[in-house]
Short mmCIF file of all heavy atoms in Angstrom, two decimals:
data_model
loop_
_atom_site.label_atom_id
_atom_site.label_comp_id
_atom_site.label_asym_id
_atom_site.label_seq_id
_atom_site.Cartn_x
_atom_site.Cartn_y
_atom_site.Cartn_z
N GLN A 1 0.83 -1.20 0.00
CA GLN A 1 0.00 0.00 0.00
C GLN A 1 0.87 1.26 0.00
O GLN A 1 0.58 2.23 -0.71
CB GLN A 1 -0.93 0.02 1.22
CG GLN A 1 -2.12 -0.88 1.09
CD GLN A 1 -3.04 -0.77 2.28
OE1 GLN A 1 -2.63 -0.35 3.37
NE2 GLN A 1 -4.29 -1.15 2.10
N ARG A 2 1.93 1.25 0.80
CA ARG A 2 2.82 2.41 0.85
C ARG A 2 3.48 2.64 -0.50
O ARG A 2 3.55 3.77 -0.99
CB ARG A 2 3.89 2.19 1.92
CG ARG A 2 4.78 3.42 2.16
CD ARG A 2 5.92 3.12 3.10
NE ARG A 2 6.89 2.18 2.56
CZ ARG A 2 7.81 2.49 1.64
NH1 ARG A 2 7.88 3.72 1.16
NH2 ARG A 2 8.66 1.59 1.21
N LEU A 3 3.91 1.55 -1.15
CA LEU A 3 4.56 1.68 -2.46
C LEU A 3 3.58 2.16 -3.53
O LEU A 3 3.93 2.96 -4.39
CB LEU A 3 5.20 0.36 -2.86
CG LEU A 3 6.44 -0.04 -2.07
CD1 LEU A 3 6.89 -1.45 -2.46
CD2 LEU A 3 7.57 0.95 -2.28
N ARG A 4 2.34 1.69 -3.44
CA ARG A 4 1.33 2.14 -4.42
C ARG A 4 1.04 3.63 -4.24
O ARG A 4 0.88 4.37 -5.21
CB ARG A 4 0.05 1.32 -4.27
CG ARG A 4 0.16 -0.04 -4.87
CD ARG A 4 -1.16 -0.76 -4.88
NE ARG A 4 -1.00 -2.07 -5.48
CZ ARG A 4 -1.73 -3.11 -5.22
NH1 ARG A 4 -2.70 -3.02 -4.34
NH2 ARG A 4 -1.52 -4.26 -5.82
N LYS A 5 0.95 4.06 -2.99
CA LYS A 5 0.70 5.48 -2.72
C LYS A 5 1.85 6.33 -3.23
O LYS A 5 1.64 7.37 -3.87
CB LYS A 5 0.50 5.69 -1.21
CG LYS A 5 0.12 7.09 -0.83
CD LYS A 5 -0.15 7.20 0.65
CE LYS A 5 -0.50 8.63 1.03
NZ LYS A 5 -0.69 8.77 2.47
N ARG A 6 3.06 5.88 -2.97
CA ARG A 6 4.26 6.61 -3.45
C ARG A 6 4.31 6.63 -4.98
O ARG A 6 4.63 7.65 -5.57
CB ARG A 6 5.52 5.95 -2.87
CG ARG A 6 6.80 6.60 -3.29
CD ARG A 6 6.96 7.98 -2.68
NE ARG A 6 8.25 8.52 -3.08
CZ ARG A 6 8.45 9.79 -3.34
NH1 ARG A 6 7.48 10.67 -3.19
NH2 ARG A 6 9.64 10.22 -3.72
N ASN A 7 3.94 5.52 -5.59
CA ASN A 7 3.90 5.45 -7.05
C ASN A 7 2.89 6.44 -7.61
O ASN A 7 3.17 7.13 -8.59
CB ASN A 7 3.57 4.02 -7.49
CG ASN A 7 3.73 3.83 -8.97
OD1 ASN A 7 4.47 4.54 -9.62
ND2 ASN A 7 3.03 2.85 -9.50
N GLN A 8 1.72 6.53 -6.97
CA GLN A 8 0.70 7.48 -7.40
C GLN A 8 1.20 8.91 -7.28
O GLN A 8 0.99 9.73 -8.19
CB GLN A 8 -0.58 7.28 -6.57
CG GLN A 8 -1.72 8.20 -6.93
CD GLN A 8 -2.29 7.90 -8.29
OE1 GLN A 8 -2.24 6.77 -8.75
NE2 GLN A 8 -2.84 8.89 -8.93
N GLN A 9 1.87 9.23 -6.17
CA GLN A 9 2.41 10.58 -5.99
C GLN A 9 3.44 10.90 -7.07
O GLN A 9 3.44 12.00 -7.63
CB GLN A 9 3.06 10.70 -4.61
CG GLN A 9 2.10 10.70 -3.45
CD GLN A 9 2.81 10.65 -2.10
OE1 GLN A 9 3.99 10.35 -2.04
NE2 GLN A 9 2.07 10.91 -1.04
N LEU A 10 4.31 9.95 -7.36
CA LEU A 10 5.33 10.18 -8.38
C LEU A 10 4.73 10.34 -9.77
O LEU A 10 5.20 11.17 -10.57
CB LEU A 10 6.36 9.05 -8.36
CG LEU A 10 7.27 9.00 -7.14
CD1 LEU A 10 8.13 7.74 -7.17
CD2 LEU A 10 8.14 10.23 -7.04
N GLU A 11 3.67 9.60 -10.06
CA GLU A 11 3.00 9.75 -11.35
C GLU A 11 2.36 11.12 -11.48
O GLU A 11 2.42 11.77 -12.53
CB GLU A 11 1.96 8.65 -11.55
CG GLU A 11 2.55 7.30 -11.87
CD GLU A 11 1.49 6.22 -12.00
OE1 GLU A 11 0.29 6.49 -11.77
OE2 GLU A 11 1.88 5.09 -12.34
N GLU A 12 1.73 11.61 -10.40
CA GLU A 12 1.12 12.94 -10.41
C GLU A 12 2.19 14.01 -10.59
O GLU A 12 2.02 14.97 -11.35
CB GLU A 12 0.32 13.17 -9.14
CG GLU A 12 -0.94 12.35 -9.06
CD GLU A 12 -1.64 12.46 -7.72
OE1 GLU A 12 -1.16 13.21 -6.84
OE2 GLU A 12 -2.67 11.78 -7.54
N GLU A 13 3.32 13.87 -9.86
CA GLU A 13 4.41 14.83 -9.99
C GLU A 13 4.98 14.81 -11.41
O GLU A 13 5.28 15.86 -11.99
CB GLU A 13 5.51 14.49 -8.98
CG GLU A 13 6.66 15.48 -8.99
CD GLU A 13 7.74 15.11 -7.98
OE1 GLU A 13 7.53 14.19 -7.17
OE2 GLU A 13 8.80 15.76 -8.03
N ASN A 14 5.10 13.62 -11.98
CA ASN A 14 5.61 13.48 -13.34
C ASN A 14 4.68 14.18 -14.33
O ASN A 14 5.14 14.89 -15.24
CB ASN A 14 5.76 12.00 -13.69
CG ASN A 14 6.55 11.77 -14.95
OD1 ASN A 14 7.21 12.66 -15.45
ND2 ASN A 14 6.47 10.57 -15.47
N ASN A 15 3.37 14.00 -14.16
CA ASN A 15 2.40 14.66 -15.05
C ASN A 15 2.49 16.18 -14.92
O ASN A 15 2.42 16.89 -15.93
CB ASN A 15 0.98 14.19 -14.74
CG ASN A 15 0.75 12.77 -15.18
OD1 ASN A 15 1.43 12.25 -16.06
ND2 ASN A 15 -0.22 12.11 -14.57
N LEU A 16 2.65 16.68 -13.69
CA LEU A 16 2.77 18.12 -13.47
C LEU A 16 4.04 18.65 -14.15
O LEU A 16 4.01 19.71 -14.81
CB LEU A 16 2.80 18.42 -11.97
CG LEU A 16 2.96 19.89 -11.59
CD1 LEU A 16 1.75 20.69 -12.03
CD2 LEU A 16 3.19 20.03 -10.10
N LEU A 17 5.14 17.94 -14.01
CA LEU A 17 6.38 18.38 -14.64
C LEU A 17 6.29 18.36 -16.17
O LEU A 17 6.82 19.25 -16.84
CB LEU A 17 7.55 17.52 -14.16
CG LEU A 17 7.93 17.70 -12.69
CD1 LEU A 17 8.98 16.67 -12.28
CD2 LEU A 17 8.44 19.11 -12.43
N ARG A 18 5.60 17.38 -16.72
CA ARG A 18 5.40 17.34 -18.17
C ARG A 18 4.59 18.55 -18.63
O ARG A 18 4.87 19.15 -19.67
CB ARG A 18 4.69 16.06 -18.59
CG ARG A 18 5.57 14.85 -18.54
CD ARG A 18 4.78 13.61 -18.93
NE ARG A 18 5.50 12.42 -18.57
CZ ARG A 18 5.83 11.46 -19.41
NH1 ARG A 18 5.47 11.56 -20.67
NH2 ARG A 18 6.48 10.41 -19.01
N LEU A 19 3.56 18.89 -17.85
CA LEU A 19 2.74 20.06 -18.17
C LEU A 19 3.58 21.33 -18.13
O LEU A 19 3.49 22.18 -19.02
CB LEU A 19 1.57 20.14 -17.20
CG LEU A 19 0.59 21.29 -17.41
CD1 LEU A 19 -0.10 21.15 -18.75
CD2 LEU A 19 -0.43 21.33 -16.29
N LYS A 20 4.43 21.46 -17.11
CA LYS A 20 5.29 22.64 -17.00
C LYS A 20 6.25 22.72 -18.18
O LYS A 20 6.50 23.81 -18.71
CB LYS A 20 6.07 22.61 -15.68
CG LYS A 20 5.23 22.93 -14.47
CD LYS A 20 6.06 22.92 -13.21
CE LYS A 20 5.24 23.28 -11.99
NZ LYS A 20 6.05 23.32 -10.77
N ILE A 21 6.80 21.60 -18.60
CA ILE A 21 7.71 21.59 -19.75
C ILE A 21 6.97 22.04 -21.00
O ILE A 21 7.50 22.83 -21.79
CB ILE A 21 8.34 20.19 -19.94
CG1 ILE A 21 9.37 19.93 -18.85
CG2 ILE A 21 8.97 20.05 -21.31
CD1 ILE A 21 9.93 18.53 -18.86
N ASP A 22 5.74 21.56 -21.19
CA ASP A 22 4.95 21.97 -22.36
C ASP A 22 4.71 23.48 -22.35
O ASP A 22 4.83 24.15 -23.38
CB ASP A 22 3.62 21.23 -22.40
CG ASP A 22 3.77 19.79 -22.83
OD1 ASP A 22 4.82 19.44 -23.43
OD2 ASP A 22 2.83 18.99 -22.58
N ILE A 23 4.37 24.01 -21.17
CA ILE A 23 4.13 25.45 -21.07
C ILE A 23 5.40 26.23 -21.36
O ILE A 23 5.39 27.23 -22.11
CB ILE A 23 3.57 25.80 -19.67
CG1 ILE A 23 2.15 25.23 -19.52
CG2 ILE A 23 3.57 27.31 -19.43
CD1 ILE A 23 1.59 25.33 -18.12
N LEU A 24 6.53 25.79 -20.81
CA LEU A 24 7.79 26.48 -21.06
C LEU A 24 8.19 26.42 -22.53
O LEU A 24 8.70 27.41 -23.09
CB LEU A 24 8.90 25.89 -20.18
CG LEU A 24 8.82 26.23 -18.70
CD1 LEU A 24 9.87 25.44 -17.92
CD2 LEU A 24 9.02 27.72 -18.48
N LEU A 25 7.96 25.29 -23.19
CA LEU A 25 8.27 25.19 -24.61
C LEU A 25 7.39 26.11 -25.44
O LEU A 25 7.85 26.73 -26.41
CB LEU A 25 8.12 23.74 -25.09
CG LEU A 25 9.23 22.79 -24.66
CD1 LEU A 25 8.90 21.36 -25.06
CD2 LEU A 25 10.56 23.21 -25.27
#
């Protein structure tokens, strides 16, 4: 459960960073 929660957090952070990269480009 802890690993799944951490995985979910990392996926959300990854999506946010991809969005920021798109905006910067």
Side-chain angles (χ1 to χ4, degrees):
Q1 283 183 338
R2 186 186 67 77
L3 289 174
R4 283 187 180 153
K5 185 176 179 183
R6 180 69 177 144
N7 189 25
Q8 180 69 27
Q9 289 173 346
L10 291 173
E11 285 178 356
E12 290 173 2
E13 183 181 352
N14 192 14
N15 289 338
L16 179 66
L17 291 173
R18 286 178 194 237
L19 181 64
K20 286 182 178 182
I21 287 174
D22 286 342
I23 291 171
L24 288 173
L25 286 174

